[in-house]
C-alpha cells in the first residue's frame, strides 16, 4: 500500500479561507500530507473581521473525529478553534485512545479583530483535558498570558511562561512572539530542558490573518511525515515567514497569507 502522511484538523471554518479549517487543509496539501477535517463551528469571516459564529453540536464534532480515525486514521492532528468546554472534552475523549497520533494544540481564543473563539469557562477543560494529550502546544502571547496569568512583554517573560505552561503537563511548548513589538519576531520552543529559539525579521504588513493556524498546520503536516519536532518547527517557521512575505493581498482588511509558499 502507498504510504501518505495523514493529517486531521479539528477547528472552525473560516468563510474567508485564510484561517481555520481552510488554512489548515491548504497548508497540509502544500506540505504533501493528506488532509481531513472535523468542523467545530462555522464562522462568518472575511478580511474585515468576524461577523458570526455558529457552533456545531458536540455530537457532530465527536462523530467526525471518530469515523475518520477508525477508518482512514491519522499520523498527526491539530486542534484550532474549539469554542467551548463540552467540545473540548468530546475532542479529548475521541483522541485519547490514539496515543501514537502526534497532537498539535493551537489554543485559539480570540481572532485578530477581538472576536471570541473560545468561551471563558473553557480554559480549564483545555488545560486539564487536552493539553496532557498534546505533543506540542502553540500559544501566541495573549493566549500564553491567559493560560498562565502572567504578563508577557519580552523574551525573558516568554521563557518563564513557556516553563509555566510546560508545568501544566504538556511535553513541548512553542511560544509564538508575533504579538510582541520590535523589528524581529522571536519564537521559542521549550521541551522541559532547553530553549530552542528562532528569530526572523518582522515583515511590515497588514496581511497576517491566519498566521497562527497556517504555522501550526505546517508543523502538524511535518510531524505527520515523521519529521523530528525541532526540524518540523524550523520548517513551519520558514513557511509562515515566506507565506506572509508573499501574501496575495486580498480583501480590504487583514488578508490571508500565501498558502502556496515554497520553502526549499
Ligand atoms: N509581521 C510578521 N513578520 C514576520 N513573521 C511573523 C509576523 N507575524 C507573525 N509572524 C510569524 O507567524 C507566526 C504566528 O504568528 P502569531 O504569533 O501572530 O500567531 P497568532 O496570533 O496565533 O495568529 P492568528 O490568531 O491570526 O492565527 C509567528 O510565530 C511568527 O513566526
Ligand atoms: C475559524 C478560525 N480559527 C482561528 C482563527 C484565528 O486566527 C480565526 N480567525 N478563525
Amino acid at each position: 500500500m502507498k504510504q501518505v502522511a495523514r493529517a486531521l484538523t479539528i477547528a472552525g471554518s473560516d468563510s474567508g479561507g485564510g484561517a481555520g479549517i481552510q488554512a489548515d487543509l491548504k497548508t497540509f496539501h502544500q506540505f504533501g500530507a493528506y488532509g481531513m477535517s472535523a468542523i467545530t463551528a462555522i464562522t462568518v469571516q472575511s478580511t474585515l473581521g468576524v461577523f458570526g459564529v455558529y457552533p456545531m453540536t458536540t455530537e457532530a464534532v465527536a462523530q467526525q473525529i471518530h469515523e475518520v480515525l477508525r477508518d482512514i486514521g491519522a499520523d498527526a492532528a491539530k486542534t484550532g478553534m474549539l469554542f467551548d468546554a463540552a467540545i473540548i472534552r468530546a475532542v479529548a475523549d475521541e483522541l485519547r485512545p490514539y496515543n501514537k497520533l502526534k497532537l498539535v494544540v493551537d489554543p485559539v481564543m480570540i481572532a485578530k479583530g477581538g472576536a471570541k473563539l473560545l468561551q471563558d469557562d473553557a480554559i480549564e477543560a483545555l488545560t486539564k483535558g487536552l493539553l496532557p494529550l498534546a505533543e506540542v502546544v502553540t500559544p501566541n502571547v495573549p493566549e500564553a498570558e491567559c493560560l498562565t496569568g502572567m504578563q508577557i512583554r519580552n523574551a525573558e517573560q516568554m521563557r518563564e511562561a513557556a516553563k509555566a505552561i510546560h508545568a501544566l503537563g504538556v511535553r513541548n511548548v512553542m511560544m509564538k512572539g508575533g504579538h510582541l513589538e520590535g523589528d524581529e519576531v522571536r519564537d521559542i520552543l521549550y521541551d522541559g530542558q532547553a530553549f530552542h529559539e528562532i528569530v526572523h525579521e518582522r515583515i511590515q504588513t497588514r496581511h497576517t490573518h491566519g498566521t497562527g493556524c497556517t504555522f501550526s498546520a505546517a508543523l502538524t503536516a511535518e510531524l505527520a511525515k515523521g519529521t523530528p519536532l525541532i526540524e518540523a518547527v524550523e520548517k513551519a517557521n520558514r513557511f509562515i515567514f515566506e507565506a506572509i512575505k508573499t501574501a496575495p493581498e486580498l480583501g480590504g482588511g487583514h488578508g490571508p497569507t500565501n498558502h502556496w509558499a515554497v520553502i526549499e
Side-chain angles (χ1 to χ4, degrees):
M1 204 172 70
K2 268 196 197 160
Q3 287 293 316
V4 60
R6 300 155 301 174
L8 168 66
T9 171
I10 303 166
S13 165
D14 167 11
S15 50
I21 289 282
Q22 287 79 0
D24 294 343
L25 291 178
K26 292 175 198 181
T27 305
F28 289 166
H29 189 83
Q30 184 68 357
F31 274 78
Y34 178 76
M36 294 163 282
S37 64
I39 299 183
T40 57
I42 292 188
T43 71
V44 180
Q45 290 190 71
S46 70
T47 69
L48 299 177
V50 180
F51 299 90
V53 174
Y54 301 90
M56 302 292 292
T57 63
T58 305
E59 294 71 30
V61 177
Q63 246 185 322
Q64 292 173 80
I65 301 168
H66 193 80
E67 295 304 333
V68 294
L69 288 184
R70 84 185 173 98
D71 174 32
I72 302 167
D75 302 293
K78 66 158 279 191
T79 63
M81 171 187 182
L82 294 173
F83 189 69
D84 67 14
I87 292 180
I88 293 175
R89 281 194 288 269
V91 168
D93 288 346
E94 291 300 332
L95 293 177
R96 201 168 292 114
Y98 295 91
N99 54 14
K100 287 208 188 72
L101 177 157
K102 296 265 166 63
L103 178 64
V104 177
V105 173
D106 185 7
V108 171
M109 295 178 190
I110 296 173
K112 285 220 162 87
K116 246 187 212 176
L117 302 179
L118 184 71
Q119 306 293 304
D120 294 335
D121 62 0
I123 307 293
E124 193 175 319
L126 186 71
T127 52
K128 297 230 165 85
L130 202 55
L131 289 192
L133 305 180
E135 174 67 14
V136 55
V137 60
T138 61
N140 64 21
V141 164
E143 289 157 358
E145 287 183 329
C146 180
L147 290 171
T148 61
M150 297 162 75
Q151 204 188 51
I152 305 169
R153 294 285 173 274
N154 53 46
E156 195 42 46
Q157 291 172 339
M158 279 175 76
R159 287 183 209 106
E160 288 309 311
K163 281 187 180 169
I165 295 170
H166 185 267
L168 293 171
V170 202
R171 287 192 278 278
N172 298 283
V173 182
M174 174 68 232
M175 288 274 311
K176 298 173 296 184
H179 289 246
L180 291 186
E181 289 178 0
D183 297 337
E184 296 173 336
V185 178
R186 181 183 299 265
D187 294 322
I188 302 179
L189 176 67
Y190 181 61
D191 63 5
Q193 281 169 349
F195 294 102
H196 180 82
E197 307 200 358
I198 308 176
V199 181
H200 62 226
E201 156 210 343
R202 181 178 298 277
I203 302 161
Q204 297 303 333
T205 174
R206 63 186 161 91
H207 300 297
T208 54
H209 178 73
T211 47
C213 304
T214 303
F215 169 81
S216 57
L219 175 57
T220 305
E222 279 302 318
L223 292 177
K225 291 195 260 182
T227 307
L229 183 65
I230 291 185
E231 198 185 318
V233 162
E234 282 172 351
K235 278 199 175 150
N237 185 279
R238 275 191 279 144
F239 182 73
I240 191 60
F241 183 78
E242 201 53 39
I244 296 171
K245 210 168 168 180
T246 58
E249 303 190 354
L250 295 172
H254 294 289
T257 66
N258 173 21
H259 297 111
W260 294 290
V262 175
I263 53 166
E264 76 306 327

